[in-house]
Amino acid sequence: MKKGMLMLISVVVLLIVGCSTYRPLTASTQFPADGSKYKILGRVETKKKVDKSGYTLLLKEAKKEYPEADDVVNIVIDSYEKPGFFGKSYRYKMSGIAIDYID
């Protein structure tokens, strides 16, 4: 009986997790015009709740990975929707390219 209940719970959890998907929300994929005035540091990514996301948090994440980062460009935001027992929860996955402006 205990094994059957554990199996049932496992199947329900797998079905709920299997229904979550990422969906493109918006993209701003432009680099500054003059490529000789900046150095590309690398890609950064953060996943946050919808009400706790934004460019400033993405820049903060970029500065953690690359302390010399001045800006994040080529930003892509994906929406993540996860069904649950008490409704859906929403998160944003934000990614972009960290750059350092050359003086």
Side-chain angles (χ1 to χ4, degrees), residues 31-40 73 97-102:
F31 278 85
D34 188 0
S36 66
K37 296 195 181 212
Y38 62 89
K39 177 175 72 169
I40 295 176
V73 296
I97 305 292
I99 61 172
D100 177 26
Y101 288 110
I102 300 169

Side-chain angles (χ1 to χ4, degrees), residues 65-84:
E65 283 188 52
Y66 307 101
E68 65 275 15
D70 292 323
D71 198 1
V72 179
V73 296
N74 199 22
I75 298 171
V76 176
I77 303 172
D78 294 325
S79 172
Y80 176 68
E81 181 181 306
K82 184 176 179 184

Side-chain angles (χ1 to χ4, degrees), residues 80-84 87-91:
Y80 176 68
E81 181 181 306
K82 184 176 179 184
K88 297 177 183 177
S89 64
Y90 297 93
R91 297 177 76 79

Side-chain angles (χ1 to χ4, degrees), residues 34-54:
D34 188 0
S36 66
K37 296 195 181 212
Y38 62 89
K39 177 175 72 169
I40 295 176
L41 302 173
R43 179 163 286 284
V44 292
E45 182 178 293
T46 184
K47 295 176 186 173
K48 301 283 184 190
K49 289 184 178 179
V50 172
D51 61 341
K52 297 186 185 220
S53 62

Side-chain angles (χ1 to χ4, degrees), residues 4-68:
M5 183 60 98
L6 183 61
M7 182 66 141
L8 177 65
I9 291 171
S10 298
V11 168
V12 169
V13 168
L14 285 174
L15 287 173
I16 289 173
V17 172
C19 294
S20 59
T21 59
Y22 279 103
R23 171 178 44 189
L25 190 60
T26 186
S28 173
T29 56
Q30 289 184 328
F31 278 85
D34 188 0
S36 66
K37 296 195 181 212
Y38 62 89
K39 177 175 72 169
I40 295 176
L41 302 173
R43 179 163 286 284
V44 292
E45 182 178 293
T46 184
K47 295 176 186 173
K48 301 283 184 190
K49 289 184 178 179
V50 172
D51 61 341
K52 297 186 185 220
S53 62
Y55 169 79
T56 307
L57 293 172
L58 186 60
L59 181 60
K60 188 186 252 186
E61 191 68 32
K63 288 185 180 272
K64 279 185 199 174
E65 283 188 52
Y66 307 101
E68 65 275 15

